[in-house]
Amino acid sequence: MEVVTTVAEARARLDAARHRGKTVGLVPTMGYLHEGHASLIRRAAAECDLAMATIFVNPLQFAPGEDLAAYPRDLERDTAVCAEAGADLVLAPPPEEMYPGPVLTSVSVNELAARLEGVDRPTHFTGVATVVAKLFNIGGPCRSYFGEKDWQQLQIVTRMAADLSFPVEVVGCPVVREPDGLAMSSRNVYLEGPDRAAAPVLHRALCAGRHAVERGERDPGAVRAVMHAVVAGEPRVRLGYAEIVDAATLAAVEPLSGTLRLLIAARVGPARLIDNLGVEV
Ligand code: AMP
């Protein structure tokens, strides 16, 4: 496995591979890798001839006051995880390589970005879509692997690739969880003792919401209330939202029908956590 830090080196490796008839798999990450990231890299390595992971904490997707400076970083360990998972190439650019000057151009995926996470983080998904557009242009024709953990992000990136005709097939991969149900996240390092113990309530709330739908509940307000009640049982956890929406458009559905997604966001101590679960009616 080779680690490169410039866009030119990454492009040269990928172009050379495609020239030899090889397929490329791209796995964008912000580093501090865990088993969730490793599952994406393993899948890219299994399905493509050359798998490239990128490690870049993207300043554009953090608002002032968010955890950009504190975001955990450990490049040495990350490259070991990438190698172990079967990556052939890692691109780990410094910020000035990705953004040599002020960014005047951005990508906005309008309605999809305004809902859910977008309510409290109005600039977040423009930052995400802009960096992913850059990574798609660096990666070139490829399959690109994203986790369902960030469900809204997955829908936004899928839509952006279609709307802007990127030669990229976006592949969604299942959420990897701790044994107690907590979705793996780089931000879980912020969780200490009692906060870590309280955090699986997000997954329990989603399961309770899904169970209500499976038992026949078709009123989204009632499903939201079920999730709120579960979270209320953990006083350490401050709920942001708990919603059930159309899985692809993220729009409200009433009465509930079709392919749906339950999504939740909450603060647990210093960490802001998100999670989601699917249900079919
Ligand atoms: P991040 O480093 O948090 O930006 O995540 C990079 C990629 O890994 C994104 O596509 C995430 O959705 C995915 N990812 C993060 N956590 C998980 C998880 N627990 N299970 C599956 N994919 C994940």
Side-chain angles (χ1 to χ4, degrees):
M1 188 186 78
E2 191 185 7
V3 181
V4 299
T5 57
T6 67
V7 169
E9 289 168 299
R11 279 214 178 102
R13 304 298 184 277
L14 300 180
D15 285 346
R18 274 186 295 260
H19 195 70
R20 296 194 305 272
K22 309 271 187 218
T23 59
V24 168
L26 172 68
V27 182
T29 82
M30 297 208 299
Y32 215 71
L33 303 181
H34 50 65
E35 190 50 36
H37 300 109
S39 73
L40 307 186
I41 297 169
R42 276 198 294 272
R43 180 130 173 228
E47 296 180 355
C48 309
D49 299 319
L50 189 158
M52 178 173 84
T54 67
I55 298 174
F56 179 62
V57 182
N58 173 36
L60 283 192
Q61 69 191 70
F62 291 77
E66 290 186 351
D67 59 345
L68 173 61
Y71 197 84
R73 291 162 168 90
D74 186 344
L75 186 58
E76 204 171 313
R77 208 182 115 255
D78 286 348
T79 51
V81 172
C82 289
E84 173 75 33
D88 302 289
L89 182 62
V90 172
L91 168 62
E96 57 277 16
E97 174 70 11
M98 289 295 276
Y99 302 115
V103 182
L104 301 182
T105 307
S106 58
V107 179
S108 294
V109 186
N110 300 323
E111 285 102 65
L112 283 181
R115 308 177 199 281
L116 301 165
E117 284 297 285
V119 173
D120 280 345
R121 307 181 75 195
T123 58
H124 173 64
F125 285 121
T126 294
V128 170
T130 302
V131 80
V132 172
K134 285 170 70 74
L135 294 171
F136 283 0
N137 279 327
I138 294 163
C142 65
R143 303 183 84 197
S144 188
Y145 296 80
F146 289 83
E148 292 182 352
K149 158 74 171 37
D150 299 280
W151 183 263
Q152 187 173 7
Q153 169 176 284
L154 173 61
Q155 303 319 306
I156 285 171
V157 167
T158 303
R159 185 61 186 259
M160 178 191 77
D163 284 354
L164 299 184
S165 304
F166 281 101
V168 175
E169 183 191 338
V170 175
V171 182
C173 305
V175 183
V176 177
R177 300 179 178 285
E178 301 287 355
D180 62 7
L182 176 65
M184 287 192 185
S185 165
S186 306
R187 290 190 166 102
N188 290 353
V189 293
Y190 298 146
L191 298 172
E192 297 193 333
D195 290 332
R196 173 63 188 81
V201 76
L202 273 74
H203 183 240
R204 288 204 307 277
L206 292 168
C207 290
R210 177 165 74 180
H211 193 58
V213 177
E214 287 168 347
R215 281 195 322 261
E217 185 58 71
R218 295 293 175 263
D219 171 10
V223 177
R224 278 198 296 273
V226 166
M227 294 192 279
H228 276 249
V230 174
V231 174
E234 279 289 358
R236 305 187 73 84
V237 177
R238 277 171 298 141
L239 187 63
Y241 60 80
E243 294 286 346
I244 180 164
V245 293
D246 180 87
T249 65
L250 310 176
V253 182
E254 191 166 4
L256 295 172
S257 70
T259 304
L260 303 167
R261 207 79 192 177
L262 303 115
L263 299 104
I264 192 165
R267 275 201 176 276
V268 188
R272 187 170 179 287
L273 304 179
I274 58 172
D275 199 353
N276 68 87
L277 213 55
V279 66
E280 197 82 35
V281 172

